[in-house]
Every structure is written in structure tokens, then in C-alpha cells.
């Protein structure tokens, strides 16, 4: 039996029942693949369902505002994914009459769509023979063929793509790619792969040599850079002062309580007072710390302390800042840990 036959036989018996597998709609597969980047399946399920209730078609999404789209993405992180998805779907509506193209090269030209996602959409939705090589597939093939090259290198990825193309099912390439996803999630897992349960065990070179725990080879990642911030929570007449982040860069366009980066030796109270005075034309007094938390992004980690502040005086706010009431706290997309602070405030405040 070939690798594809063995893998597919296992998949048809053991594959996961996932909401995005219930039909072959390319838009739905696209949404699920973007949500699943850097995010666990269990975390995606509810987001995916809510998303499709609100944006069931490319046309429905294309007409939505970016702020609404970000609010539906709130909590999934890596918000550029949502922005790119919106831009991509608008392009599909403008250029392709609302139908996702079936050619992987064309799919890959859409914003935010890489080779993996293009291969997944083309193979699953349109039965195109295309590889979909992500970290799971790199791990499985490194073990199957005992590849000792660093999987972060492009050359290794290309070698794995070639191997996938040699072994992919010509009849059911989408099922083959999904079977690899499931094998990587359930059997050929990163630590202590479950080789005795594996449908490919008799073909696996790493298992034969008993080196599966040493593969894949991956150069160590750099630790994320730690950034210390202080944020001010100012309440006035039941409303909170919030600010929108710039349109480009980390967490672009998301909302936050006014915050400032702290250098070594900086005093939070002085820094925050200055931030409110110079940037927002508000005079505040800094009171006690009400929340401290850490939030890790791909390349940096925020250590952020939120301080309750007393509002003393201030001018009219400029654009990119406003006062939000309790019910509005849940309607804007928040920047990372600011969501936690907003939720805590909404919980503490009486309903009005
Ligand atoms: S036999 Fe083990 S190492 Fe090889 S593919 Fe299967 S689970 Fe992975």
C-alpha cells in the first residue's frame, strides 16, 4: 500500500469532525485556515461559527467595516490576519465576481494568503493537486524521511514540498492534506509521537531508527523582547478615556487605555501624567495600580500595569480618542491586554 492509501484509510475512519469540513466552500475554508494560523482548533470553533453567522459570504464580509471585523476577531490575536482577510475578500468581490479563484497561484496573490493557505484552499475546495506544508507537515515528513535539516530553512521546506508532491493522492489531494493535518494534531504530535498508533509507522524511517523524538531539527527561537508599559484608566461621568492606536504597526487601529512605554528608571506616575497632558490635553492624578499582566506577541512581550487615574481637567478630545460608557466597552476591538482591563471594568460597573 502507498503512503497516501494508508493515510487516507486512517483519515476516513479517524479524521476530526470540524465545522469547516462540512462543505467545500472556498471562502469558509479560507476563513478557517486564517483563523487556525497560530491558534488552536478548540479556540477557533466558536469564532468560526460566530463569524459565519455574521459574514456568511464574501459579499457580506466585503461590505463590513474594519472596526466591526476586528471586533468579531477580538481575542484571536494577530489582528493583521483579520485585516488581510477583509482586504482579500474585497479583492475577490472586485476582481473575481465574489468567487475565490481555484488556481493556487492566484489565491496566493490575495492579501495575507501564503503558500500553505493557498494550497489548502485549492486542494480542499477545488481538489487541486497542491501541497499545503505547515509546521505539522514539516514535522511529519522530517520524521518519515529522517530529514536532519533545520525546518526553519526555505530549502528544507522546498524539499518537503517535493516529497509531498511525490506522495499526495491524485484523486483526493484535499483529503490527503487534511489527513496530514489530523495526523500532526493527533498522532505525530510535537513531543512523544504516538508511533504505535500511527498509520504510517511501517513507512517511517525515524521510527525505524528510534530517533522520532529528536526530529524535526529546529534552530532555537529568539526570546520575545520584553517591553514595560504603564496605562491610565480615567473615568469621568461613568465613561472611560480610550485611544486608538496608529493605523500601521503593532495592533494597528485597535483601542487601548492611554499607555506609555517605560524606560529603565522611569516613574509610571510621572510618565503617565505627561502622556495625558501632552498627547490628550487632559490633567489627571495617578492613583493606585489596579491590574498588572503580561501579554506575549510573536516577537515581544508586554508587561503592562494599569493605574486608576483621577480626572482633574481637560480640553475637548482630538480624533483617535474618546470617552466610552460601559455598554460601549464591548463594541470596540481592544489591543491585547487592554481587553482584559475593559472586561474587568465592565464587570465591576453597575448596569445603567
Ligand atoms: S511513526 Fe511516529 S514519528 Fe513516524 S510519522 Fe508516525 S507518529 Fe510520526
Amino acid at each position: 500500500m502507498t503512503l497516501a492509501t494508508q493515510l487516507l484509510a486512517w483519515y476516513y475512519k479517524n479524521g476530526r469532525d470540524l465545522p469547516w469540513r462540512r462543505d467545500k466552500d472556498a471562502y469558509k475554508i479560507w476563513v478557517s485556515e486564517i483563523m487556525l494560523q497560530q491558534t488552536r482548533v478548540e479556540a477557533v470553533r466558536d469564532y468560526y461559527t460566530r463569524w459565519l453567522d455574521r459574514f456568511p459570504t464574501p459579499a457580506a464580509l466585503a461590505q463590513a467595516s474594519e472596526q466591526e471585523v476586528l471586533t468579531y476577531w477580538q481575542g484571536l490575536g494577530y489582528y493583521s490576519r483579520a485585516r488581510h482577510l477583509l482586504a482579500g475578500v474585497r479583492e475577490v468581490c472586485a476582481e473575481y465576481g465574489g468567487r475565490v479563484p481555484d488556481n493556487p497561484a492566484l489565491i496566493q496573490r490575495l492579501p495575507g494568503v501564503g503558500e500553505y493557505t493557498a494550497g489548502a484552499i485549492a486542494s480542499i475546495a477545488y481538489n487541486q493537486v497542491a501541497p499545503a506544508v505547515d509546521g505539522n507537515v514539516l514535522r511529519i515528513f522530517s520524521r518519515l524521511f529522517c530529514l536532519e535539516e533545520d525546518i526553519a530553512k526555505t530549502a528544507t521546506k522546498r524539499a518537503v514540498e517535493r516529497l509531498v508532491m511525490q506522495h499526495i493522492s491524485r484523486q483526493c489531494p484535499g483529503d490527503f492534506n487534511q489527513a496530514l493535518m489530523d495526523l500532526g494534531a493527533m498522532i505525530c504530535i510535537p513531543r512523544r509521537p504516538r508511533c504505535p498508533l500511527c498509520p504510517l509507522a511501517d513507512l517511517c524511517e525515524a521510527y525505524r531508527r528510534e530517533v522520532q523524538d529528536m526530529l524535526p531539527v529546529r534552530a532555537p527561537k529568539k526570546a520575545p523582547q520584553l517591553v514595560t508599559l504603564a496605562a491610565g484608566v480615567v473615568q469621568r461621568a461613568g465613561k472611560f478615556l480610550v485611544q486608538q492606536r496608529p493605523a500601521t504597526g503593532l495592533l494597528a487601529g485597535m483601542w487601548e487605555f492611554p499607555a506609555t512605554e517605560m524606560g529603565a528608571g522611569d516613574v509610571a506616575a510621572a510618565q503617565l501624567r505627561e502622556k495625558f497632558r501632552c498627547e490628550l490635553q487632559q490633567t489627571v492624578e495617578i492613583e493606585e495600580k489596579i491590574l498588572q499582566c503580561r501579554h506575549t506577541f510573536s516577537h515581544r512581550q508586554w508587561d503592562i500595569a494599569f493605574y486608576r487615574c483621577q480626572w482633574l481637567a481637560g480640553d475637548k478630545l482630538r480624533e483617535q480618542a474618546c470617552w466610552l460608557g460601559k455598554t460601549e466597552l464591548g463594541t470596540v476591538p481592544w489591543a491585547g491586554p487592554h481587553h482584559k482591563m475593559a472586561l474587568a471594568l465592565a464587570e465591576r460597573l453597575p448596569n445603567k
Side-chain angles (χ1 to χ4, degrees), residues 140 143-144 187-188 193-195 198 201 204 207 212:
I140 295 168
R143 288 170 174 168
L144 279 173
I187 304 286
C188 196
R194 299 171 180 144
C195 304
C198 180
C204 181
Y207 187 39
Q212 65 272 25

Side-chain angles (χ1 to χ4, degrees), residues 200-212:
L200 306 180
D202 63 328
L203 303 173
C204 181
E205 190 58 20
Y207 187 39
R208 193 182 69 78
R209 295 191 206 169
E210 297 183 7
V211 294
Q212 65 272 25

Side-chain angles (χ1 to χ4, degrees), residues 31 36 65 87 131 144 217-218 240 244 246 252 276 282 288 302 311 342:
V31 170
L36 285 164
S65 72
L144 279 173
V217 173
R218 189 195 320 257
F240 294 91
Q244 192 174 25
F276 277 97
Q282 307 293 311
E288 84 273 37
W302 280 4
W311 183 84

